Amino acid sequence: MQKVTRRGFLGLCGVLGAGPLIGCGSSGEADLSGTRVAILGAGAAGLSAGHLLAQRGADFEIFEAAPTYGGRMKSLSGFVNFPIPLGAEWLHEPEDELSRIVGDPSVAVTTRLQPYASSDPTDFYDGELTRENLGALSDLKFVGATWLDFFETYIVPSVASQIRLNTAIARVDYSGPQAVLTDTAGATYEADRVIVTVPLQVLRDGDLEFLPELPRDKRDAIADARIWGGLKVFLEFREAFYPTFLSFDGRDGADGQHVYYDASYGQESSSNVLGLFTVGVESERYRLASSDAVRDLILAELDEVYDGAATRAYLAHVVQDWNAEPFIGQAYLADSAALSTPRRLFAPVDDRLYFAGEAYTNHDDWGAVDDAARAARAVVERLTPAR
């Protein structure tokens, strides 16, 4: 699941500058042939790391606790006539970031992306409805596809044979010359290097044990990090009574975010789908409700803004609660986390244990697929061959 406002949606939050991009060209790449690397987690960071390791000749395996890969990249087909991104949805960087993720200049990336127009209408509600133009917004929407589709086209083919699904690693012992991984069934695996990409909540819950235990600063960073839970809801309507975005007074800030958006935007579809993106404190009122109760809460909120139009036009809905998702249990590292937090989480341990993901980054942004992929690039660039 991805944030939408920290990079500027509706001007609700300040923009944080992205750090320098780390290229993946052929020059300067370490030859990692003969180096065994274990990657924990098959989400955006884990798949990206495996893809780049394959390009460098490393011997790697990706261990995924769930029965499917993708992590918080999740797509739903059949709800309407375009795929619904239940998790990660937007590209927050320029379009050529997709080529950087692929890391092979000989591959032409043909994924279609749709920018927003500055003249797109956006509504703000504080008891009274105000409509304005959206203004500048750099975020890009996928057209007829999702982040998961992009990864399945360009990344997964190079790593699919190396993914072990339904394999939850419970312990990483990096005390000896080789790291020894033990899964929940008791099977063991050895590796020269380990890349941890599991969601931060997994580490917070203690589901992954480290021997020796992680350094104090790393443990403190894990314990102190602000993690937002959240959900996404998509509702199909007979007509589009809503603009491109709808936000509410006092509902986007340090404690959470709550925004409606036109999920059909740019999709070349006659279907009218409105998405709700809600994280942090703002998501709590929905999390313990049934799917139908969530629908009723949303329709009541929209009816207040649009004079009952939501209930009159409602057709169907789908709810994705990321707190309830096995092996994930969160949305992402809170936008309001300290700038030092993702860097402390990213820091390697003993040139043996590395971390990469939306929360484990070495630059000044986090929480998105492009951030996770960039962190994976940084880790692979830092890996040293096995001696």
Side-chain angles (χ1 to χ4, degrees):
M1 187 169 179
Q2 268 176 275
K3 62 182 179 297
V4 293
T5 62
R6 176 149 50 85
R7 290 179 182 261
F9 262 21
L10 309 179
L12 296 172
C13 296
V15 177
L16 301 179
L21 297 176
I22 297 175
C24 291
S26 59
S27 61
E29 292 179 357
D31 180 5
L32 296 175
S33 57
T35 301
R36 292 179 296 175
V37 182
I39 302 170
L40 309 190
L47 295 172
S48 295
H51 176 69
L52 296 175
L53 288 171
Q55 294 176 350
R56 289 157 173 76
D59 178 9
F60 68 94
E61 284 189 287
I62 303 175
F63 298 89
E64 172 55 54
T68 59
Y69 56 76
R72 282 161 286 180
M73 298 184 296
K74 188 175 181 181
S75 181
L76 173 66
S77 299
F79 182 67
V80 287
N81 61 352
F82 60 88
I84 296 293
L86 296 175
E89 181 159 357
W90 291 273
L91 172 62
H92 300 296
E93 297 288 341
E95 188 169 349
D96 60 1
E97 185 66 15
L98 297 183
S99 294
R100 290 189 177 93
I101 294 173
V102 173
D104 184 346
S106 70
V107 176
V109 177
T110 60
T111 300
R112 296 173 60 199
L113 296 166
Q114 174 68 45
Y116 288 95
S118 61
S119 59
D120 287 337
T122 176
D123 284 353
F124 177 77
Y125 187 73
D126 61 358
E128 294 185 2
L129 185 62
T130 303
R131 177 162 294 186
E132 298 179 348
N133 291 337
L134 177 61
L137 180 64
S138 60
D139 301 71
L140 300 171
K141 275 187 66 69
F142 289 80
V143 177
T146 66
W147 266 117
L148 183 60
D149 296 313
F150 167 78
F151 268 72
E152 289 188 324
T153 300
Y154 297 101
I155 307 300
V156 172
S158 67
V159 302
S161 63
Q162 302 305 114
I163 301 175
R164 289 178 176 263
L165 299 174
N166 297 303
T167 306
I169 299 300
R171 182 186 305 114
V172 177
D173 183 344
Y174 63 104
S175 61
Q178 301 289 309
V180 179
L181 289 67
T182 305
D183 66 23
T184 53
T188 59
Y189 316 88
E190 291 188 351
D192 301 304
R193 308 285 184 266
V194 178
I195 304 177
V196 178
T197 75
V198 299
L200 183 54
Q201 190 65 47
V202 173
L203 300 186
R204 171 76 61 80
D205 291 342
D207 294 336
L208 183 57
E209 179 186 7
F210 295 93
L211 298 174
E213 66 179 350
L214 297 174
R216 168 64 67 180
D217 186 60
K218 180 77 76 175
R219 286 183 281 131
D220 288 347
I222 293 168
D224 297 341
R226 295 191 65 188
I227 305 174
W228 275 346
L231 31 58
K232 293 179 75 176
V233 185
F234 294 87
L235 302 98
E236 184 186 11
F237 294 101
R238 294 185 182 88
E239 60 181 0
F241 56 86
Y242 45 84
T244 305
F245 294 103
L246 166 66
S247 62
F248 293 80
D249 184 35
R251 301 190 68 177
D252 287 84
D255 293 328
Q257 299 169 359
H258 183 89
V259 62
Y260 290 94
Y261 61 97
D262 181 2
S264 301
Y265 191 93
Q267 296 305 314
E268 301 173 352
S269 171
S270 60
S271 297
N272 304 303
V273 181
L274 183 67
L276 170 62
F277 176 94
T278 180
V279 292
V281 171
E282 291 299 324
S283 69
E284 293 301 317
R285 63 187 297 222
Y286 305 101
R287 285 191 46 239
L288 299 180
S290 67
S291 176
D292 286 348
V294 169
R295 173 202 61 198
D296 293 343
L297 286 169
I298 291 171
L299 291 179
E301 181 170 66
L302 293 171
D303 282 344
E304 179 182 349
V305 179
Y306 298 112
D307 298 324
T311 295
R312 291 193 298 270
Y314 167 79
L315 292 173
H317 75 288
V318 60
V319 178
Q320 173 65 48
D321 182 354
W322 284 100
N323 289 63
E325 195 73 18
F327 313 114
I328 294 177
Q330 65 166 92
Y332 50 80
L333 179 66
D335 289 359
S336 53
L339 289 173
S340 62
T341 297
R343 293 182 179 180
R344 291 165 65 199
L345 294 169
F346 173 84
V349 177
D350 292 344
D351 192 29
R352 183 85 55 81
L353 201 57
Y354 293 81
F355 297 79
E358 58 83 12
Y360 323 110
T361 69
N362 64 336
H363 56 285
D364 291 341
D365 210 353
W366 54 89
V369 168
D370 36 274
D371 299 316
R374 182 159 37 179
R377 293 203 299 271
V379 162
V380 171
E381 291 289 342
R382 292 185 179 199
L383 285 183
T384 56
R387 293 184 290 273

